[in-house]
């Protein structure tokens, strides 16, 4: 029901602020603009503890932007308040990524047995030695920010500015990028000015260490490894969808060649990650956040590496159905 309410509320935006709505000096004082912003703020508030709901909202707005259904000023507002200032929860500079294992709180997380060491992988950036380049954080973002041992997100290198403090926030990563690429493509006519994410590395688990621990690791650690691979594959697919050149508009000949080459490399890396996931996957595994919604509790009961996972008697539907009043 909440999802229906969210989609219904967002469907009002093209009516309130259509693409041909005249932009005047005082347009932000208009009743239409204020109502549109009020709807966005309401949706954001209702989604802050429901990452899957927020992801759907972002995808809906990305479609509106790509189809030019809403006013450009409103798309700027959404990009600034919903995407650009939130995407930082999924990225850190490469220097911080390389020293991530040295963070005291991450050491405590590893000591609990649910996570292992991290590794920077799949870097295609032009300046692969530049520590100022970004690394997208996947594996550590599977941790629960409500865990008291990581009360300060700064201590494990993840920004604190996001209002989405939820263990399943990882599912927002692709949706936030999807909106950003739609916004930049609409604004610039190409992604030539927004091409850096295609080459940035990702922060995953240490592959060598994981192999050495394969027979002794906890069931939760193995699930986190599978989920990290799953979301890494989804991330690369999102990059390919965005950066596969749609003609050469906006690209120089060299940029077009680089973009095409990097897309092909990402395709080969997806095959590598899929093969890696096949080696780790186990019966009963469900990617983190896929089958859970809202404040629902964990549906998987972790007992041992060999025992079959049991599910909570409360179903996803029973846990998540709530009535969302639009007005």
């Amino acid at each position: 029901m909440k999802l229906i309410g969210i989609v219904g509320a967002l469907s009002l935006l093209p009516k309130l602020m259509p693409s041909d709505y005249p932009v005047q000096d005082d347009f932000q004082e208009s009743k239409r603009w204020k109502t549109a912003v009020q709807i966005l703020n309401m949706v954001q508030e209702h989604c802050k503890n429901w990452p899957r709901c927020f992801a759907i909202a972002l995808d809906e707005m990305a479609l509106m932007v790509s189809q030019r259904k809403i006013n450009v000023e409103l798309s700027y507002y959404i990009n600034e308040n919903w995407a650009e200032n939130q995407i930082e929860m999924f990225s850190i500079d490469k220097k911080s990524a390389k020293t991530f294992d040295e963070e005291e709180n991450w050491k405590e997380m590893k000591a609990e047995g649910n996570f292992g060491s991290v590794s920077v992988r799949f870097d295609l950036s032009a300046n692969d030695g530049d520590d100022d380049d970004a690394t997208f954080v996947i594996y550590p973002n599977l941790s629960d920010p409500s865990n008291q041992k990581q009360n300060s997100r700064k201590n494990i290198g993840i920004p604190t500015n996001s209002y989405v403090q939820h263990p399943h926030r990882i599912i927002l990563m692709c949706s936030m990028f999807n909106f950003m690429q739609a916004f930049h493509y609409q604004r610039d006519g190409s992604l030539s000015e927004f091409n850096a994410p295609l080459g940035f590395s990702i922060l995953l688990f240490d592959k060598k260490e994981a192999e050495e621990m394969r027979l002794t690791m906890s069931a939760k650690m193995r699930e986190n490894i599978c989920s990290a691979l799953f979301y890494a594959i989804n991330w690369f697919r999102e990059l390919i969808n965005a950066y596969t050149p749609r003609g050469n508009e906006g690209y120089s000949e060299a940029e077009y060649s680089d973009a095409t080459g990097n897309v092909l490399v990402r395709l080969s890396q997806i095959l590598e990650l899929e093969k890696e996931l096949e080696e780790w996957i186990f019966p009963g595994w469900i990617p983190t956040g896929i089958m859970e919604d809202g404040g629902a509790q964990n549906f998987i009961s972790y007992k041992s590496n060999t025992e079959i996972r049991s599910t909570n008697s409360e179903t996803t539907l029973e846990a998540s159905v709530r009535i969302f009043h639009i007005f």
Side-chain angles (χ1 to χ4, degrees), residues 11-22:
S11 68
L12 297 174
L13 297 179
K15 303 296 183 182
L16 289 167
M17 298 292 294
S19 58
D20 59 353
Y21 184 79

Side-chain angles (χ1 to χ4, degrees), residues 106-123:
W106 188 248
K107 289 180 180 179
E108 292 181 13
M109 290 288 292
K110 292 194 292 182
E112 292 178 358
N114 295 332
F115 290 89
S117 300
V118 298
S119 176
V120 178
R121 299 172 62 182
F122 303 114
D123 190 1

Side-chain angles (χ1 to χ4, degrees), residues 2 46-54 166 293-295 320 322:
K2 178 181 279 287
H46 279 271
C47 288
K48 69 179 181 181
N49 291 318
W50 300 66
R52 187 160 66 90
C53 193
F54 190 21
H166 193 284
D293 206 352
S320 63
R322 291 166 176 80

Side-chain angles (χ1 to χ4, degrees), residues 157-204:
I158 298 175
T160 60
N161 67 331
S162 173
Y163 68 89
V164 186
Q165 293 297 302
H166 193 284
H168 304 150
R169 63 195 178 280
I170 186 67
I171 68 175
L172 295 174
M173 184 173 172
C174 288
S175 294
M176 283 186 178
F177 173 77
N178 182 34
F179 180 86
M180 292 176 68
Q181 66 86 18
F183 168 77
H184 283 275
Y185 192 85
Q186 182 208 48
R187 187 189 69 179
D188 303 327
S190 76
L191 295 180
S192 60
E193 300 299 319
F194 183 65
N195 59 4
L198 178 59
F200 288 160
S201 56
I202 58 177
L203 193 62
L204 286 177

